[in-house]
Amino acid sequence: MSAAIEHTQQWTDPATIPTPTQRTMAGPSFALYGPGDVVAIDRRQIVRETPVREALDADPDQLCAIEFRLPGLPWLMTPFAPTASNDTLRPWIALVVVPLSAATLTPGTPLPRLSVNDASQLPPLDQTHAWAHAQVSGISAGEDVGALIAHDPMRALSRLLCPRRLQPKTRYRACVVPTFEAGRRAGLGQEIVAANALTPAWGASGPVELPTYHYWEFTTGEETGFESLVRRLQPRPGLTGIGTRPLDVSAPGGGIAASGAPDTLALDGALGPRNSNRPAVPSALEQAIGSLLDQTNRIGPPRYGRWHAGAPRGAPGATWLDELNRDPVRRIAAALGTRVVQERQEELMAACWDQAGEILRANQILRQGELAVAASSRIYARRMTPLVSDGSVIAFASPGAARVRVHPAFTLRGLARNSCLPLSALSGAFRKAMRATGPVGRRLRRANDLAPRIGHVLSALAQGTARVLSRPTPQAAHLPPAWTQGAAPDPIPLLPSVLRTRLNAATAIAAKLARRAPQTACVALDPVALADRLATSLDPRRTIPKRVLGQLAIPAGVWEPADRMAPVIAAPRIDTPMVLPLIELGTQWLMPGVDSVPPESVIAIAANRAFIESYMVGLNHEMARELLWRGFPTDQRGTVFARFWDTTATAGRVNAPVSDIAPIHTWGTNSALGEHPDGGAAAQLVMIIRGELVRRFPNATMFLQKARAGGGARTPNAMIGGPSSEFPVFRGDLGEDLVYLGFRVTPDDARGGTAAAPNGYFLVIQEQPRELSFGFSGSDGDLRAEDATRWSSWSDVVWESLRPNATGHIDLATLETSGFGGKVQTRPSTFAFEPRWSASSDALAAIAVRRPFRLSIHIGAALP
């Protein structure tokens, strides 16, 4: 207590509330600090404010709260002990929330002053103990709380709640104020009167002025919260006017005669009802369109996809090609793709040219390689052929003997190492000595007037008829059979006289070089075969392409022509989801009748693969024409656009497909439209959700969960994730209140009754996890506040159940605690204790905790 309210107190041992069995002993007088001594709260003690400061869309159903780092702060300056009857302790501070229209905040000394028009705007002060509590995280049963806090104080905090239901779209100010008169006067800078120092700081009515230790402002959003909005959604199977529009083809024009009868086809879109039966195209109209397409002597309508299918004009095409071009509905879808390319041709070509940079650089290298092959081949034919005839090609190749491969297992050097051809004969010194103007050549010319050619010498050495030096005999098994001749015959009698003379001279030179080394057997080589193999290995038509292609990294399957030096012709790839430009042309092209979907609806439809593939063929057909016109290095069979759905919103959660269609040139001749997904890319089930929930909570989690049977009813599998859950492979929006999601689940599996999913699937709509908050749900019109039999947990309690007073405050005194609390006998397993309705702050906090809400709707209820 401060000196102004200092008084003598009785000391008891132990320090508890006196009872008749305890002996009271007189003790000394001492002074305690109380609420009258506090003029500020250290801002470092404030951990979190709820709602956040300056929020513009705070949930009106949540309780305003403030958290402090010190777990005992709300009771630190309280001058009382807990009462013996209910073990409650009034905190010395409270959190109040008032509309800006009902109170003003003005500067003051030492604290700002909150002037409230009427005290009814404040919570009942005698119940503030019920809305202040401490929290310890991660505590185990039986664990000493005091020891835990002392060891790890960061695991504990204290919290104040304001038990007021907020009004939607209202500006509020939340303030931490004192609850005792001493604290009120000290904060306003007034003298403290001991007689009323411990009286309440405000009463039940009348104007009141309070100091403010801390405050912040926020604005509430719309009235309904997540739970109320998601409960409004209803499955609506069998809606009419969804998925198709009538198309009058009685007078098609374009040179096709009118039928004279009202002919109507069903014009569909990318999404539509499952198994929608379209009227058949009149045979006369189909034949008339085909006759225009098959004309070869005049320009007619485009035959979409004919380049990809490899079908010349007038020639029969694949099944899908005829279906696409002879059906007016499918031609319209392809024409939409043509329109998209024509309207965006500049930006699309810019994207293609960005990819063409690597192609152009590769083609430049290939063209330079072709020039090198042409020039080198002329030189090769003129200079290399004479060297092959007399074996001089061996000397020509000897500088690269370690790199020139004459056999898959041997280079020239490796071959020489295991044969009669000595390694020294491949050296530069040997070639220098044996050239015509070299020392050996000049000496032989003076002696015999005839110098041997180096090719003859190397041929003799290879055959083993001459030796340069002695060495161990190699094993014949080390050489290919084609290179060996067994025992080397004497070739001299078989040669012409001139060559015989030169060979004799070369043999003589080789004998002198041997220096009388001991003669050993060696593996002889066929010099003619060796020369031919060297000539092949050195042919520029082989060596240059190998070197050039080694500089390029062309993925397998992109470009594999017969002539590997041919310029690269590859289609660019644009991964933009092409559903986006389709929606820009009109949402009716995505799903005809989308405007007819009623609010607060959940419907199940299917992806129309035939429409999607027709649209994608039209895109690629027109893009092929544009690439050809712009001189892009490509043929007209590439699939530039392969991605239809937008998988951006689902990235990271599922392995979304990169392509929605297989390359068009790979489509089978006998396949029909709608049968060409890229691997497992086909998403067959699409869920449409339209409602205020989509606009207010666009990030709500939506997925499919397998159902399980039990107790005569189907319920979602409790294990979320893994094989029991299916997350969307694509997601998109149509306006602010409609979202569509595609799943890799068939409609039959979603309904149930199949081997893969005997009980079907549920659509689960789940609120995003959030920070710990408190509050109650708003009324959603289902009378849960009065129907006690429907309560299964405290989560079913709505604000109307608590009967807030005129200003929205919960008045615990007006509730029949025994009857009210008895309506709920079960509890969620979140807490380690079972909360019972009472005035204790821990029970109220456990009851008021807001948990993420989840709604499950069986898909069978949304399928027609």
Side-chain angles (χ1 to χ4, degrees):
M1 296 292 178
S2 65
I5 56 174
E6 181 179 338
H7 64 285
T8 302
Q9 295 194 4
Q10 300 296 324
W11 180 266
T12 61
D13 188 15
T16 58
I17 300 174
T19 63
T21 60
Q22 293 177 323
R23 179 183 178 185
T24 302
M25 300 176 60
S29 299
F30 57 91
L32 298 176
Y33 286 110
D37 298 293
V38 180
V39 293
I41 294 178
D42 190 349
R43 293 183 62 88
R44 292 174 296 181
Q45 285 293 323
I46 299 173
V47 177
R48 186 166 67 102
E49 304 163 341
T50 305
V52 296
R53 183 182 297 267
E54 298 299 334
L56 300 178
D57 58 349
D59 188 353
D61 292 332
Q62 72 176 343
L63 294 176
C64 190
I66 186 170
E67 296 176 0
F68 300 104
R69 194 176 307 279
L70 188 63
L73 191 143
W75 308 274
L76 187 64
M77 296 297 174
T78 299
F80 298 134
T83 61
S85 59
N86 56 9
D87 194 29
T88 60
L89 181 65
R90 181 192 301 177
W92 66 279
I93 52 177
L95 179 64
V96 300
V97 179
V98 292
L100 264 62
S101 60
T104 59
L105 186 70
T106 58
T109 302
L111 293 172
R113 302 185 178 192
L114 178 69
S115 301
V116 184
N117 301 340
D118 193 276
S120 62
Q121 295 289 338
L122 306 177
L125 197 147
D126 59 344
Q127 299 175 16
T128 54
H129 64 274
W131 305 106
H133 63 269
Q135 174 183 322
V136 181
S137 302
I139 188 171
S140 303
E143 190 172 358
D144 188 343
V145 177
L148 186 148
I149 296 177
H151 175 70
D152 190 0
M154 298 301 293
R155 292 169 60 179
L157 55 83
S158 56
R159 184 182 292 112
L160 296 177
L161 302 176
C162 179
R164 179 172 192 164
R165 185 181 188 183
L166 307 177
Q167 295 299 313
K169 297 183 178 180
T170 304
R171 185 74 171 174
Y172 283 95
R173 180 181 291 119
C175 303
V176 178
V177 297
T179 60
F180 292 94
E181 179 68 12
R184 189 186 76 84
R185 286 180 169 274
L188 296 177
Q190 301 174 0
E191 182 181 359
I192 299 175
V193 180
N196 59 1
L198 301 183
T199 59
W202 65 83
S205 61
V208 62
E209 187 175 40
L210 297 170
T212 301
Y213 298 117
H214 178 78
Y215 70 92
W216 74 97
E217 297 179 1
F218 59 90
T219 304
T220 54
E222 298 185 27
E223 181 176 4
T224 50
F226 183 91
E227 181 179 351
S228 299
L229 292 176
V230 77
R231 286 182 180 273
R232 294 179 182 177
L233 297 176
Q234 297 295 325
R236 303 184 189 274
L239 290 176
T240 59
I242 303 296
T244 60
R245 292 179 289 170
L247 175 65
D248 184 5
V249 295
S250 59
I256 300 177
S259 64
D263 291 329
T264 302
L265 298 179
L267 181 61
D268 52 18
L271 299 175
R274 179 194 176 208
N275 298 329
S276 59
N277 296 318
R278 296 192 307 119
V281 180
S283 58
L285 177 60
E286 189 175 280
Q287 293 174 3
I289 295 175
S291 63
L292 291 178
L293 296 174
D294 294 338
Q295 296 180 16
T296 58
N297 57 351
R298 59 176 294 183
I299 298 176
R303 192 182 187 192
Y304 298 109
R306 69 181 182 91
W307 297 309
H308 300 85
R313 183 181 292 274
T319 301
W320 66 265
L321 186 67
D322 291 340
E323 179 185 353
L324 168 60
N325 287 280
R326 296 173 186 269
D327 186 338
V329 174
R330 298 293 167 247
R331 287 189 63 85
I332 289 175
L336 292 173
T338 298
R339 179 180 172 184
V340 168
V341 173
Q342 291 175 348
E343 293 179 352
R344 302 167 178 245
Q345 55 183 320
E346 296 302 330
E347 59 181 280
L348 293 175
M349 283 305 307
C352 292
W353 284 118
D354 287 342
Q355 300 178 41
E358 296 298 327
I359 297 177
L360 295 177
R361 281 189 286 273
N363 286 340
Q364 177 66 19
I365 294 174
L366 291 173
R367 283 192 293 269
Q368 293 174 348
E370 285 185 307
L371 176 62
V373 169
S376 300
S377 296
R378 296 294 299 272
I379 299 174
Y380 178 85
R382 186 173 67 252
R383 302 296 299 271
M384 185 64 68
T385 303
L387 299 179
V388 175
S389 60
D390 65 357
S392 297
V393 68
I394 302 175
F396 179 82
S398 59
R403 292 183 298 170
V404 178
R405 191 167 294 277
V406 294
H407 185 270
F410 292 102
T411 61
L412 177 59
R413 182 180 181 86
L415 186 69
R417 189 185 300 276
N418 296 280
S419 68
C420 294
L421 183 63
L423 290 177
S424 58
L426 302 178
S427 65
F430 185 83
R431 294 194 305 276
K432 182 176 181 181
M434 292 302 300
R435 64 187 179 184
T437 58
V440 176
R442 291 196 303 269
R443 184 178 304 173
L444 290 176
R445 188 178 297 110
R446 286 195 300 268
N448 302 316
D449 196 25
L450 185 64
R453 293 186 179 179
I454 190 172
H456 300 154
V457 176
L458 292 175
S459 297
L461 292 173
Q463 294 180 11
T465 58
R467 300 288 181 88
V468 173
L469 50 83
S470 178
R471 60 179 178 177
T473 304
Q475 297 295 326
H478 292 172
L479 296 177
W483 298 111
T484 63
Q485 297 179 339
D490 184 6
I492 295 179
L494 303 178
L495 298 176
S497 58
V498 175
L499 294 180
R500 189 183 308 120
T501 303
R502 291 182 175 179
L503 186 56
N504 288 332
T507 303
I509 294 298
K512 292 181 179 180
L513 292 175
R515 296 181 181 178
R516 299 181 180 179
Q519 301 297 313
T520 58
C522 62
V523 179
L525 301 177
D526 183 354
V528 177
L530 177 59
D532 290 341
R533 184 58 62 91
L534 285 173
T536 302
S537 298
L538 298 175
D539 192 336
R541 291 170 296 182
R542 177 183 177 184
T543 58
I544 295 177
K546 184 177 180 181
R547 178 67 178 271
V548 169
L549 294 175
Q551 303 178 40
L552 305 178
I554 303 177
V558 174
W559 182 238
E560 296 179 351
D563 181 8
R564 295 294 293 165
M565 292 293 287
V568 175
I569 299 179
R573 177 68 181 265
I574 298 178
D575 286 327
T576 302
M578 299 314 294
V579 66
L580 302 180
L582 180 66
I583 294 175
E584 291 182 9
L585 295 178
T587 56
Q588 298 293 329
W589 294 117
L590 180 68
M591 188 175 73
V594 64
D595 296 334
S596 302
V597 177
E600 314 303 337
S601 299
V602 176
I603 62 176
I605 56 177
N608 187 354
R609 293 286 311 173
F611 177 94
I612 294 172
E613 291 184 4
S614 301
Y615 171 68
M616 299 300 287
V617 170
L619 284 166
N620 286 282
H621 180 90
E622 183 63 21
M623 196 65 203
R625 297 176 67 245
E626 190 66 27
L627 292 173
L628 180 65
W629 172 254
R630 302 289 185 111
F632 192 91
T634 183
D635 59 6
Q636 292 181 281
R637 302 188 64 195
T639 302
V640 180
F641 305 99
R643 184 178 178 187
F644 180 76
W645 297 111
D646 186 4
T647 60
T648 305
T650 60
R653 183 177 290 273
V654 296
N655 186 18
V658 178
S659 302
D660 291 299
I661 61 171
I664 301 176
H665 71 278
T666 65
W667 292 6
T669 303
N670 298 322
S671 60
L673 283 175
E675 299 178 356
H676 311 105
D678 186 19
Q684 304 184 51
L685 179 70
V686 179
M687 300 301 301
I688 304 291
I689 298 97
R690 184 171 203 167
E692 185 67 11
L693 173 79
V694 177
R695 188 183 69 83
R696 288 279 309 281
F697 299 93
N699 295 325
T701 302
M702 303 180 187
F703 58 95
L704 299 187
Q705 187 74 4
K706 271 190 175 181
R708 61 180 180 181
R714 292 182 295 189
T715 58
N717 193 307
M719 183 63 68
I720 296 179
S724 297
S725 303
E726 287 287 343
F727 292 94
V729 293
F730 63 81
R731 175 173 177 158
D733 301 316
L734 292 179
E736 294 183 349
D737 64 341
L738 189 147
V739 63
Y740 60 90
L741 306 100
F743 298 91
R744 289 195 187 102
V745 174
T746 65
D748 290 335
D749 286 343
R751 187 190 303 274
T754 64
N759 298 301
Y761 281 85
F762 279 92
L763 171 66
V764 179
I765 306 176
Q766 178 176 289
E767 189 176 9
Q768 286 281 7
R770 58 191 175 192
E771 292 181 315
L772 182 65
S773 64
F774 301 83
F776 304 94
S777 300
S779 175
D780 55 9
D782 64 355
L783 300 180
R784 287 186 298 149
E786 305 298 334
D787 188 2
T789 61
R790 297 185 61 184
W791 289 12
S792 60
S793 70
W794 287 115
S795 297
D796 290 332
V797 177
V798 296
W799 271 103
E800 284 72 10
S801 307
L802 304 174
R803 299 178 177 84
N805 60 24
T807 57
H809 289 91
I810 299 174
D811 188 352
L812 301 178
T814 63
L815 292 177
E816 296 291 339
T817 56
S818 59
F820 181 81
K823 292 180 180 180
V824 178
Q825 300 299 329
T826 61
R827 62 170 179 82
S829 59
T830 306
F831 298 96
F833 63 93
E834 182 175 1
R836 297 292 184 182
W837 184 265
S838 68
S840 63
S841 60
D842 56 350
L844 289 177
I847 291 171
V849 166
R850 304 188 72 186
R851 301 164 183 83
F853 188 79
R854 179 186 299 160
L855 177 72
S856 301
I857 301 174
H858 198 277
I859 304 299
L863 282 170

